[in-house]
Amino acid sequence: MKHHWIRGNLPLCKECVTCGDFCGREPKLMDIRCVWCQTVCHDDCNKPITSCDLGNLRKWILPPTSITLKSIWVKGVRKQVVRDITTPPYRPWQPMLVLANRKSGDNQGQSVLQMFRHLLNPAQVVDICEVPPEAALDICKLSPKTQYLILVCGGDGTVGWVLSAIDKMKLQTRPLVCVLPLGTGNDFARSLGWGSGYADEDIEDILWDISTAKTIEHDRWSVSIRNYGYFGIKRPMKTLIMNCYFSIGCDAAVVLNFHRNREENPALFKNRILNKAWYLGYGTKDVFESKCHKLNERIAIELDGKAIELPELEGIVLLNISSWSSGCNLWAGSGLEELPGEQSLSDGLIEVCGLYSSLHVGRLQVGLADPCRLGQAKTVRIVVKSGSCRSV
């Protein structure tokens, strides 16, 4: 495969492959770079005659010689999509598929998309605001025996969206999934060790972290909602998938208010710090309103078929991960109390905690309080009594 040379846009402090001196020193379009292996060369130096080996990232790159394209029309716009993939002759090869949500958190998705398209084959980098995950994952079916690496760039909601799409696709070989956190809370990424949020780190450093990461299993839970209408008539059951946590009461009310207002006024929710300020404002409002006061009288809970007695609470949280509400380890609490059981991402158990109030939530987030630990279970049944006010 030949090098594909373009002029300018060189990485900082990149050395010429011919003379070893730095390239791109002047503020203008100068010197050349191979778009695949990232080799750089001065305009005045002789170009290397060796073939392109795709560089350090070739394990994750879809080589241009291994794909064929076809044209399709999407909303009146002609686009090129991958029609066929042939396995390259080298090993190891685990193609990466980058699925980014440009609207997440600080709206960093657009720059992330550009940087990954700079390093990988643009066919591997998808903006899921334009192409839904199900359509993007079609590429995995073109080489069904290959295990893809899916990099999800977004918040917890984006990760859940992609995981649900993977379930629907029923791929022959399940892909591995990693996360570049672009959202506000990023609790899923925190629990897996990917950090609290992307802070403009070098993309190549992030790819290095991915290459050294270990694979772990992660529990996912099915949430079935049965609603009885008037005269006790059953409505159709709705089933959702839970990846992080599920809550009823005061904290759910805060998140619901945040979500509704962001849908109505997206321009006011474009910054991660500002988003957290909105959360604080809605939480403070609930402290005074206490709409979920005496929630324990409105619901009944069973853990593995055994009913439990509830103290006076304003919220219930079912935890699947160790991070809640932007990094708070709810199950561990302040660390001063002995835990009734260890928490794990893959033990088949879910932790159930109670919240006394929105003020209690604030104290939990700064490590000055402990939750009401109700127990661990493999199945949880929550009955919301008729006429109760609910926020889920």
Side-chain angles (χ1 to χ4, degrees):
M1 173 178 157
K2 295 182 179 180
H3 290 281
H4 183 179
W5 300 104
I6 62 171
R7 185 174 304 281
N9 295 323
L10 306 184
L12 294 175
C13 302
K14 195 77 172 180
E15 296 179 356
C16 174
V17 68
T18 302
C19 69
D21 199 4
F22 290 122
C23 292
R25 289 184 169 182
E26 298 181 27
K28 64 179 182 179
L29 284 177
M30 61 181 298
D31 303 332
I32 55 176
R33 170 182 66 89
C34 175
V35 298
W36 297 112
C37 66
Q38 308 303 319
T39 297
V40 300
C41 181
H42 287 114
D43 290 325
D44 299 332
C45 293
N46 294 323
K47 298 178 184 178
I49 58 175
T50 57
S51 60
C52 178
D53 62 358
L54 299 177
N56 297 330
L57 304 180
R58 74 173 190 164
K59 172 184 176 181
W60 292 320
I61 292 177
L62 269 176
T65 54
S66 296
I67 63 175
T68 55
L69 302 176
K70 64 179 180 181
S71 297
I72 63 171
W73 290 89
V74 179
K75 297 180 180 180
V77 179
R78 188 180 180 183
K79 293 188 176 183
Q80 298 282 338
V81 297
V82 179
R83 181 181 65 187
D84 188 38
I85 296 177
T86 57
T87 304
Y90 56 83
R91 295 291 183 276
W93 184 62
Q94 186 179 35
M96 176 182 288
L97 182 61
V98 180
L99 305 180
N101 183 352
R102 68 171 186 267
K103 296 181 179 179
S104 293
D106 278 348
N107 293 278
Q108 299 167 299
Q110 191 61 50
S111 61
V112 168
L113 284 165
Q114 292 175 354
M115 287 185 282
F116 275 110
R117 286 168 179 159
H118 180 85
L119 295 173
L120 305 175
N121 191 326
Q124 300 172 247
V125 185
V126 180
D127 180 359
I128 59 176
C129 292
E130 297 180 356
V131 180
E134 292 85 353
L137 290 167
D138 274 335
I139 197 172
C140 300
K141 291 187 174 181
L142 300 178
S143 48
K145 295 184 179 180
T146 301
Q147 186 178 49
Y148 279 73
L149 178 64
I150 311 297
L151 175 60
V152 184
C153 306
D156 295 336
T158 304
V159 175
W161 187 13
V162 172
L163 292 178
S164 295
I166 293 173
D167 291 338
K168 293 178 183 177
M169 296 298 292
K170 297 182 179 179
L171 301 174
Q172 180 177 332
T173 304
R174 295 282 292 185
L176 299 179
V177 178
C178 50
V179 183
L180 179 60
L182 301 182
T184 301
N186 301 312
D187 288 306
F188 191 92
R190 292 172 193 261
S191 66
L192 295 177
W194 293 112
S196 59
Y198 174 63
D200 298 324
E201 297 94 340
D202 189 280
I203 292 296
E204 292 194 40
D205 291 340
I206 292 172
L207 293 174
W208 170 255
D209 291 338
I210 292 173
S211 69
T212 57
K214 64 179 182 179
T215 302
I216 64 171
E217 294 183 344
H218 189 284
D219 291 337
R220 300 175 69 217
W221 295 80
S222 213
V223 180
S224 299
I225 303 173
R226 296 181 178 89
N227 192 356
Y228 291 85
Y230 295 106
F231 308 109
I233 299 175
K234 288 185 179 180
R235 294 179 181 176
M237 184 176 69
K238 186 176 182 179
T239 300
L240 307 172
I241 300 299
M242 186 190 77
N243 301 302
C244 300
Y245 43 80
F246 174 90
S247 61
I248 298 176
C250 58
D251 65 320
V254 170
V255 175
L256 182 60
N257 285 330
F258 177 89
H259 173 73
R260 286 174 173 171
N261 282 276
R262 183 165 63 174
E263 290 294 309
E264 293 176 1
N265 305 288
L268 301 177
F269 297 82
K270 288 190 173 182
N271 180 278
R272 187 177 294 138
I273 296 177
L274 183 60
N275 289 351
K276 291 182 178 181
W278 279 111
Y279 274 117
L280 177 62
Y282 292 129
T284 303
K285 179 182 177 183
D286 189 73
V287 169
F288 295 101
E289 293 182 347
S290 296
K291 289 184 177 180
C292 300
H293 182 58
K294 293 187 177 181
L295 179 69
N296 53 294
E297 296 179 0
R298 310 179 192 182
I299 64 173
I301 298 181
E302 295 179 4
L303 302 185
D304 291 333
K306 183 180 178 181
I308 61 172
E309 185 176 347
L310 298 175
E312 186 171 322
L313 298 172
E314 290 189 17
I316 298 291
V317 183
L318 279 65
L319 289 166
N320 187 39
I321 58 177
S322 58
S323 180
W324 167 81
S325 190
S326 298
C328 173
N329 191 334
L330 182 60
W331 185 249
S334 64
L336 301 177
E337 295 182 358
E338 184 177 352
L339 300 181
E342 293 298 323
Q343 188 177 27
S344 172
L345 295 174
S346 56
D347 59 358
L349 294 173
I350 194 165
E351 288 72 35
V352 184
C353 295
L355 305 173
Y356 297 115
S357 65
S358 290
L359 183 60
H360 181 221
V361 171
R363 295 181 64 210
L364 285 166
Q365 290 180 319
V366 295
L368 296 178
D370 286 287
C372 176
R373 301 181 185 90
L374 301 175
Q376 295 173 297
K378 294 183 178 180
T379 61
V380 179
R381 183 170 182 260
I382 301 176
V383 178
V384 181
K385 299 175 183 178
S386 178
S388 297
C389 177
R390 291 157 288 174
S391 294
V392 179

